Protein backbone atom coordinates (compact mmCIF):
# COMPACT_ATOMS: atom_id res chain seq x y z
CA UNK A 1 0.00 0.00 0.00
CA UNK A 2 1.08 3.51 -0.72
CA UNK A 3 1.90 5.87 2.09
CA UNK A 4 -0.65 8.65 2.58
CA UNK A 5 1.84 10.56 4.69
CA UNK A 6 5.53 10.25 5.22
CA UNK A 7 7.31 12.60 7.60
CA UNK A 8 11.08 12.43 7.88
CA UNK A 9 13.21 14.21 10.49
CA UNK A 10 10.75 17.06 10.82
CA UNK A 11 11.65 19.93 13.12
CA UNK A 12 9.99 23.22 13.82
CA UNK A 13 11.28 26.19 15.75
CA UNK A 14 8.79 29.06 16.01
CA UNK A 15 10.02 32.64 15.63
CA UNK A 16 10.04 33.08 19.40
CA UNK A 17 12.64 30.30 19.62
CA UNK A 18 10.22 27.62 20.83
CA UNK A 19 11.21 24.18 19.59
CA UNK A 20 7.75 22.70 18.84
CA UNK A 21 8.84 19.59 16.86
CA UNK A 22 12.01 17.65 17.43
CA UNK A 23 13.07 15.29 14.67
CA UNK A 24 9.63 13.80 14.07
CA UNK A 25 9.36 10.64 11.93
CA UNK A 26 5.89 9.40 11.09
CA UNK A 27 4.21 7.38 8.39
CA UNK A 28 0.55 6.69 7.72
CA UNK A 29 -0.55 4.07 5.21
CA UNK A 30 -3.25 4.76 2.65
CA UNK A 31 -6.64 3.63 4.00
CA UNK A 32 -5.58 3.88 7.63
CA UNK A 33 -7.54 5.48 10.45
CA UNK A 34 -4.71 7.02 12.41
CA UNK A 35 -4.62 8.88 15.72
CA UNK A 36 -2.07 11.46 16.65
CA UNK A 37 -2.46 11.53 20.37
CA UNK A 38 -0.89 13.84 22.89
CA UNK A 39 -1.53 16.45 25.57
CA UNK A 40 -2.07 20.14 24.83
CA UNK A 41 1.02 21.83 23.45
CA UNK A 42 2.58 18.54 22.31
CA UNK A 43 2.92 19.68 18.68
CA UNK A 44 -0.10 18.05 17.01
CA UNK A 45 -1.45 21.22 15.38
CA UNK A 46 2.04 22.19 14.27
CA UNK A 47 2.30 18.91 12.33
CA UNK A 48 -1.10 19.52 10.72
CA UNK A 49 -0.08 23.09 9.91
CA UNK A 50 3.04 21.85 8.12
CA UNK A 51 1.08 19.19 6.21
CA UNK A 52 -1.34 21.84 4.98
CA UNK A 53 1.49 24.36 4.33
CA UNK A 54 0.08 26.88 6.82
CA UNK A 55 3.17 26.48 8.98
CA UNK A 56 6.67 26.51 7.55
CA UNK A 57 8.93 23.68 8.71
CA UNK A 58 12.43 24.38 9.98
CA UNK A 59 13.96 21.10 8.78
CA UNK A 60 12.94 17.73 7.38
CA UNK A 61 10.77 16.37 4.63
CA UNK A 62 7.02 15.83 4.32
CA UNK A 63 5.17 13.99 1.55
CA UNK A 64 1.48 13.34 0.92
CA UNK A 65 0.81 10.35 -1.35
CA UNK A 66 4.46 10.45 -2.35
CA UNK A 67 4.51 14.14 -3.29
CA UNK A 68 6.49 16.76 -1.43
CA UNK A 69 4.13 19.32 0.16
CA UNK A 70 6.41 22.23 -0.69
CA UNK A 71 7.37 21.41 -4.25
CA UNK A 72 3.87 20.09 -5.14
CA UNK A 73 1.67 22.53 -3.23
CA UNK A 74 -1.34 22.32 -5.54
CA UNK A 75 -1.34 18.52 -6.04
CA UNK A 76 -0.94 17.80 -2.35
CA UNK A 77 -3.67 20.31 -1.40
CA UNK A 78 -6.06 18.49 -3.73
CA UNK A 79 -5.42 15.24 -1.86
CA UNK A 80 -6.02 16.81 1.53
CA UNK A 81 -9.05 18.01 3.50
CA UNK A 82 -8.45 19.66 6.87
CA UNK A 83 -10.92 20.26 9.66
CA UNK A 84 -9.34 22.76 12.04
CA UNK A 85 -9.87 22.93 15.77
CA UNK A 86 -11.40 26.38 15.80
CA UNK A 87 -14.33 27.52 13.67
CA UNK A 88 -12.78 29.53 10.85
CA UNK A 89 -15.60 30.40 8.48
CA UNK A 90 -17.46 33.69 8.30
CA UNK A 91 -20.35 33.78 10.75
CA UNK A 92 -22.33 35.92 8.30
CA UNK A 93 -22.04 33.63 5.29
CA UNK A 94 -24.81 31.14 4.57
CA UNK A 95 -24.16 27.46 5.25
CA UNK A 96 -24.57 26.39 1.60
CA UNK A 97 -22.39 29.26 0.36
CA UNK A 98 -19.54 28.26 2.69
CA UNK A 99 -19.36 24.82 1.09
CA UNK A 100 -19.83 26.20 -2.44
CA UNK A 101 -17.05 28.77 -1.97
CA UNK A 102 -14.68 26.04 -0.86
CA UNK A 103 -15.61 23.98 -3.93
CA UNK A 104 -14.72 27.05 -5.99
CA UNK A 105 -11.25 27.21 -4.43
CA UNK A 106 -10.67 23.67 -5.62
CA UNK A 107 -11.81 24.45 -9.14
CA UNK A 108 -14.96 22.32 -9.16
CA UNK A 109 -17.51 23.17 -11.84
CA UNK A 110 -20.68 24.85 -10.59
CA UNK A 111 -22.69 21.72 -11.39
CA UNK A 112 -20.33 19.37 -9.53
CA UNK A 113 -20.02 21.82 -6.63
CA UNK A 114 -23.81 21.98 -6.29
CA UNK A 115 -24.23 18.22 -6.20
CA UNK A 116 -21.29 17.73 -3.80
CA UNK A 117 -22.57 20.45 -1.47
CA UNK A 118 -25.96 18.73 -1.40
CA UNK A 119 -24.37 15.32 -0.84
CA UNK A 120 -22.23 16.36 2.12
CA UNK A 121 -24.68 18.78 3.73
CA UNK A 122 -27.23 15.96 3.66
CA UNK A 123 -24.76 13.41 5.03
CA UNK A 124 -23.91 15.73 7.89
CA UNK A 125 -27.51 16.65 8.68
CA UNK A 126 -27.20 20.28 7.58
CA UNK A 127 -29.21 20.34 4.37
CA UNK A 128 -32.20 22.00 6.07
CA UNK A 129 -29.88 24.76 7.26
CA UNK A 130 -28.33 25.53 3.88
CA UNK A 131 -29.93 28.97 3.58
CA UNK A 132 -29.22 30.04 7.14
CA UNK A 133 -26.31 32.16 8.25
CA UNK A 134 -23.67 30.05 9.93
CA UNK A 135 -23.76 32.06 13.17
CA UNK A 136 -27.23 30.61 13.86
CA UNK A 137 -25.82 27.07 13.98
CA UNK A 138 -25.11 25.25 17.24
CA UNK A 139 -21.50 24.41 18.13
CA UNK A 140 -21.93 20.82 16.96
CA UNK A 141 -23.45 21.94 13.65
CA UNK A 142 -20.53 24.30 13.06
CA UNK A 143 -18.13 21.42 13.43
CA UNK A 144 -20.16 19.31 11.04
CA UNK A 145 -20.16 22.18 8.57
CA UNK A 146 -16.35 22.26 8.71
CA UNK A 147 -16.33 18.54 7.90
CA UNK A 148 -18.71 19.01 4.94
CA UNK A 149 -16.51 21.85 3.69
CA UNK A 150 -13.35 19.76 4.01
CA UNK A 151 -14.92 16.93 1.99
CA UNK A 152 -16.41 18.87 -0.90
CA UNK A 153 -13.43 18.16 -3.19
CA UNK A 154 -13.44 14.50 -2.01
CA UNK A 155 -9.83 14.35 -0.82
CA UNK A 156 -8.14 10.97 -0.34
CA UNK A 157 -6.86 12.15 3.05
CA UNK A 158 -8.90 13.86 5.75
CA UNK A 159 -7.20 15.37 8.80
CA UNK A 160 -9.25 16.46 11.79
CA UNK A 161 -7.75 18.49 14.59
CA UNK A 162 -9.53 17.55 17.83
CA UNK A 163 -12.89 16.99 16.12
CA UNK A 164 -14.86 16.27 19.27
CA UNK A 165 -13.31 18.62 21.84
CA UNK A 166 -16.17 19.92 23.96
CA UNK A 167 -18.80 17.96 22.00
CA UNK A 168 -21.46 16.00 23.91
CA UNK A 169 -21.46 12.22 23.80
CA UNK A 170 -24.41 11.84 21.44
CA UNK A 171 -22.84 14.05 18.81
CA UNK A 172 -19.42 12.51 19.45
CA UNK A 173 -20.81 9.07 18.69
CA UNK A 174 -22.67 10.16 15.56
CA UNK A 175 -19.46 11.82 14.36
CA UNK A 176 -17.50 8.62 15.09
CA UNK A 177 -20.01 6.65 13.02
CA UNK A 178 -19.78 9.08 10.11
CA UNK A 179 -15.98 9.03 10.15
CA UNK A 180 -15.82 5.23 10.39
CA UNK A 181 -18.05 4.90 7.34
CA UNK A 182 -15.98 7.43 5.44
CA UNK A 183 -12.85 5.46 6.28
CA UNK A 184 -14.49 2.20 5.23
CA UNK A 185 -15.30 3.77 1.88
CA UNK A 186 -11.56 4.36 1.35
CA UNK A 187 -10.67 7.78 2.78
CA UNK A 188 -7.52 7.82 4.90
CA UNK A 189 -8.26 9.65 8.14
CA UNK A 190 -5.91 11.17 10.66
CA UNK A 191 -7.21 12.77 13.79
CA UNK A 192 -5.56 14.48 16.68
CA UNK A 193 -7.06 14.01 20.07
CA UNK A 194 -6.18 14.00 23.70
CA UNK A 195 -8.91 11.46 24.42
CA UNK A 196 -7.48 7.96 24.34
CA UNK A 197 -11.02 6.54 24.27
CA UNK A 198 -11.68 8.35 21.02
CA UNK A 199 -8.55 6.93 19.41
CA UNK A 200 -9.46 3.54 20.82
CA UNK A 201 -12.93 3.62 19.35
CA UNK A 202 -11.85 4.67 15.87
CA UNK A 203 -8.23 4.13 15.01
CA UNK A 204 -6.12 1.20 13.89
CA UNK A 205 -2.76 2.87 14.33
CA UNK A 206 -1.50 5.54 16.59
CA UNK A 207 1.39 7.84 17.36
CA UNK A 208 1.84 9.52 20.69
CA UNK A 209 3.57 12.86 20.73
CA UNK A 210 4.81 14.61 23.82
CA UNK A 211 6.89 17.77 23.97
CA UNK A 212 7.43 17.72 20.19
CA UNK A 213 8.81 14.17 20.19
CA UNK A 214 7.12 10.97 19.01
CA UNK A 215 7.22 8.65 21.99
CA UNK A 216 5.17 5.81 20.49
CA UNK A 217 4.19 4.74 16.96
CA UNK A 218 2.34 1.43 16.86
CA UNK A 219 -1.01 -0.27 16.39
CA UNK A 220 -3.86 0.62 18.74
CA UNK A 221 -4.03 -3.05 19.70
CA UNK A 222 -0.40 -3.13 20.81
CA UNK A 223 -0.84 0.07 22.74
CA UNK A 224 -3.87 -1.17 24.63
CA UNK A 225 -2.14 -4.44 25.42
CA UNK A 226 0.20 -2.37 27.59
CA UNK A 227 -2.69 -1.61 29.93
CA UNK A 228 -4.52 -4.10 32.12
CA UNK A 229 -7.84 -2.59 33.04
CA UNK A 230 -9.75 0.63 32.91
CA UNK A 231 -12.40 2.24 35.07
CA UNK A 232 -15.16 4.26 33.44
CA UNK A 233 -17.60 6.62 35.12
CA UNK A 234 -20.96 6.23 33.44
CA UNK A 235 -23.84 8.63 33.72
CA UNK A 236 -27.30 7.35 32.81
CA UNK A 237 -30.21 9.32 31.35
CA UNK A 238 -32.72 7.61 33.64
CA UNK A 239 -32.22 6.48 37.23
CA UNK A 240 -31.64 2.78 37.87
CA UNK A 241 -34.63 1.18 39.52
CA UNK A 242 -33.24 -2.26 40.30
CA UNK A 243 -29.95 -4.05 40.89
CA UNK A 244 -28.17 -4.56 37.58
CA UNK A 245 -26.45 -7.81 36.67
CA UNK A 246 -23.60 -6.98 34.32
CA UNK A 247 -22.23 -10.44 33.68
CA UNK A 248 -18.63 -11.55 33.12
CA UNK A 249 -17.55 -8.63 30.91
CA UNK A 250 -17.40 -6.30 33.88
CA UNK A 251 -14.69 -6.94 36.47
CA UNK A 252 -16.36 -4.71 39.06
CA UNK A 253 -19.21 -2.21 39.27
CA UNK A 254 -20.04 0.41 41.90
CA UNK A 255 -23.22 2.41 42.05
CA UNK A 256 -22.31 5.98 43.03
CA UNK A 257 -25.92 7.21 42.91
CA UNK A 258 -29.04 6.22 40.97
CA UNK A 259 -27.68 7.91 37.82
CA UNK A 260 -23.97 7.23 38.13
CA UNK A 261 -21.94 4.05 37.94
CA UNK A 262 -18.28 3.22 38.10
CA UNK A 263 -17.33 0.20 36.02
CA UNK A 264 -14.00 -1.55 35.64
CA UNK A 265 -13.37 -3.68 32.58
CA UNK A 266 -10.33 -5.45 31.21
CA UNK A 267 -8.41 -3.50 28.53
CA UNK A 268 -9.10 -6.31 26.10
CA UNK A 269 -12.80 -5.44 26.18
CA UNK A 270 -13.49 -2.74 23.60
CA UNK A 271 -15.64 0.28 24.24
CA UNK A 272 -18.19 -0.85 21.69
CA UNK A 273 -18.79 -4.03 23.75
CA UNK A 274 -19.41 -1.79 26.73
CA UNK A 275 -21.93 0.29 24.79
CA UNK A 276 -23.61 -2.93 23.57
CA UNK A 277 -23.81 -4.22 27.12
CA UNK A 278 -25.67 -1.12 28.28
CA UNK A 279 -27.95 -1.28 25.28
CA UNK A 280 -28.81 -4.90 26.04
CA UNK A 281 -29.55 -3.95 29.64
CA UNK A 282 -31.86 -1.21 28.31
CA UNK A 283 -29.83 1.51 30.02
CA UNK A 284 -29.38 4.76 28.16
CA UNK A 285 -25.85 6.16 28.59
CA UNK A 286 -25.79 9.95 28.82
CA UNK A 287 -22.08 10.33 29.37
CA UNK A 288 -19.06 8.10 29.71
CA UNK A 289 -15.61 9.14 30.80
CA UNK A 290 -12.48 7.51 32.04
CA UNK A 291 -11.93 7.70 35.76
CA UNK A 292 -8.19 7.81 35.53
CA UNK A 293 -6.38 9.11 32.54
CA UNK A 294 -4.92 6.14 30.69
CA UNK A 295 -2.98 8.44 28.44
CA UNK A 296 -1.17 9.85 31.43
CA UNK A 297 -0.63 6.34 32.67
CA UNK A 298 0.94 5.45 29.32
CA UNK A 299 3.12 8.53 29.33
CA UNK A 300 4.41 7.67 32.74
CA UNK A 301 5.29 4.15 31.61
CA UNK A 302 6.98 5.49 28.47
CA UNK A 303 8.91 8.13 30.34
CA UNK A 304 10.10 5.61 32.88
CA UNK A 305 11.32 3.38 30.07
CA UNK A 306 12.96 6.34 28.34
CA UNK A 307 14.80 7.18 31.53
CA UNK A 308 15.93 3.61 31.83
CA UNK A 309 17.31 3.93 28.30
CA UNK A 310 15.17 1.10 26.94
CA UNK A 311 13.58 3.24 24.25
CA UNK A 312 15.32 5.54 21.82
P1 LIG B 1 -1.02 20.80 20.20
O1 LIG B 1 -1.75 20.92 18.90
O2 LIG B 1 -0.50 19.41 20.45
O3 LIG B 1 -1.79 21.34 21.37
P2 LIG B 1 0.70 22.87 19.09
O4 LIG B 1 1.28 22.32 17.86
O5 LIG B 1 -0.47 23.83 18.97
O6 LIG B 1 0.32 21.68 20.09
O7 LIG B 1 1.83 23.63 19.91
C1 LIG B 1 3.12 23.08 20.14
C2 LIG B 1 3.95 24.12 20.87
O8 LIG B 1 4.23 25.19 19.98
C3 LIG B 1 3.27 24.71 22.08
O9 LIG B 1 4.23 24.94 23.08
C4 LIG B 1 2.72 26.03 21.55
O10 LIG B 1 2.61 26.98 22.58
C5 LIG B 1 3.77 26.42 20.53
N1 LIG B 1 3.24 27.23 19.42
C6 LIG B 1 2.21 26.91 18.59
N2 LIG B 1 2.02 27.86 17.67
C7 LIG B 1 2.95 28.81 17.90
C8 LIG B 1 3.28 30.07 17.29
N3 LIG B 1 2.61 30.51 16.23
N4 LIG B 1 4.31 30.76 17.82
C9 LIG B 1 5.00 30.31 18.87
N5 LIG B 1 4.74 29.15 19.50
C10 LIG B 1 3.74 28.40 19.02
Amino acid sequence: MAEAIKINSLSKTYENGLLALKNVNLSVEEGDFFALLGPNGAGKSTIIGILSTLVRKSAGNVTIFGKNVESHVYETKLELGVVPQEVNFSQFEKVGDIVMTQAGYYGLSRKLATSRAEKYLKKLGLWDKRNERSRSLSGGMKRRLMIARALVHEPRLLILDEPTAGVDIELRRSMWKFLSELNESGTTIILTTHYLEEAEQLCRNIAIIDGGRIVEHCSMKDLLAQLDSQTYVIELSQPMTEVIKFGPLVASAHVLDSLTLEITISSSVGMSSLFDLFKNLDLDVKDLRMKNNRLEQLFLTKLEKLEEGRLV
Side-chain angles (χ1 to χ4, degrees):
M1 275 238 183
E3 262 160 347
I5 280 184
K6 181 110 185 101
I7 296 177
N8 281 322
S9 310
L10 183 65
S11 293
K12 170 67 188 176
T13 308
Y14 280 107
E15 274 93 69
N16 60 3
L18 190 123
L19 192 52
L21 297 177
K22 300 164 188 161
N23 197 28
V24 165
N25 292 298
L26 204 64
S27 56
V28 178
E29 298 274 295
E30 181 168 11
D32 202 354
F33 204 139
F34 189 93
L36 187 58
L37 193 68
N40 280 330
K44 303 180 296 294
S45 301
T46 302
I47 294 182
I48 294 183
I50 294 173
L51 285 165
S52 50
T53 65
L54 293 172
V55 174
R56 195 188 291 267
K57 68 174 195 205
S58 304
N61 192 39
V62 177
T63 61
I64 294 180
F65 293 108
K67 295 203 171 86
N68 188 291
V69 293
E70 283 170 330
S71 56
H72 293 76
V73 178
Y74 186 67
E75 291 100 315
T76 52
K77 270 200 190 334
L78 278 179
E79 303 280 22
L80 181 64
V82 178
V83 181
Q85 221 176 97
E86 306 290 337
V87 171
N88 66 348
F89 46 70
S90 158
Q91 301 284 314
F92 300 101
E93 227 181 318
K94 287 183 181 160
V95 169
D97 293 346
I98 288 171
V99 181
M100 288 296 285
T101 307
Q102 181 85 349
Y105 286 141
Y106 285 92
L108 270 64
S109 69
R110 177 111 200 135
K111 193 167 161 236
L112 185 58
T114 308
S115 71
R116 290 271 181 84
E118 181 173 346
K119 174 175 169 186
Y120 287 105
L121 286 175
K122 279 186 174 163
K123 268 184 193 269
L124 286 145
L126 292 168
W127 182 239
D128 292 348
K129 305 277 178 194
R130 64 190 179 282
N131 293 320
E132 288 184 27
R133 288 187 203 287
S134 67
R135 70 173 164 191
S136 71
L137 299 182
S138 69
M141 287 174 183
K142 285 179 181 159
R143 275 178 200 263
R144 296 203 310 262
L145 175 55
M146 291 202 289
I147 298 179
R149 185 185 58 173
L151 289 173
V152 76
H153 63 293
E154 300 201 331
R156 278 200 284 170
L157 172 64
L158 180 68
I159 302 184
L160 303 110
D161 198 357
E162 307 245 351
T164 61
V167 162
D168 68 41
I169 190 155
E170 203 178 322
L171 179 61
R172 222 185 304 163
R173 288 178 67 191
S174 73
M175 225 182 240
W176 287 351
K177 186 165 174 284
F178 174 80
L179 293 175
S180 296
E181 285 167 7
L182 188 69
N183 176 247
E184 275 156 29
S185 71
T187 308
T188 309
I189 301 181
I190 299 177
L191 59 83
T192 76
T193 181
H194 50 255
Y195 301 122
L196 183 60
E197 62 265 48
E198 178 158 83
E200 177 179 349
Q201 186 72 7
L202 292 171
C203 300
R204 282 187 288 282
N205 290 297
I206 186 169
I208 300 181
I209 183 166
D210 189 26
R213 250 184 249 282
I214 301 288
V215 294
E216 184 70 273
H217 191 195
C218 65
S219 70
M220 196 68 224
K221 217 167 123 223
D222 287 350
L223 185 82
L224 293 177
Q226 297 176 24
L227 297 160
D228 302 329
S229 66
Q230 175 59 40
T231 303
Y232 294 95
V233 177
I234 291 160
E235 209 184 306
L236 302 171
S237 310
Q238 258 110 44
M240 291 167 272
T241 49
E242 53 189 57
V243 179
I244 301 159
K245 291 204 170 57
F246 285 104
L249 206 62
V250 171
S252 70
H254 297 286
V255 176
L256 302 185
D257 59 50
S258 66
L259 285 169
T260 324
L261 284 161
E262 219 176 81
I263 284 206
T264 303
I265 56 171
S266 149
S267 296
S268 58
V269 178
M271 283 235 305
S272 41
S273 314
L274 192 62
F275 280 128
D276 287 348
L277 176 72
F278 275 84
K279 212 169 142 206
N280 292 337
L281 289 166
D282 233 5
L283 293 171
D284 190 27
V285 176
K286 188 168 159 222
D287 197 12
L288 177 150
R289 62 180 190 278
M290 287 183 177
K291 190 181 178 201
N292 39 1
N293 189 331
R294 287 203 293 180
L295 188 54
E296 267 167 27
Q297 207 179 316
L298 276 169
F299 278 135
L300 289 178
T301 319
K302 293 282 145 228
L303 292 178
E304 275 165 21
K305 283 187 186 164
L306 273 171
E307 276 162 18
E308 288 167 21
R310 283 194 270 139
L311 285 172
V312 178

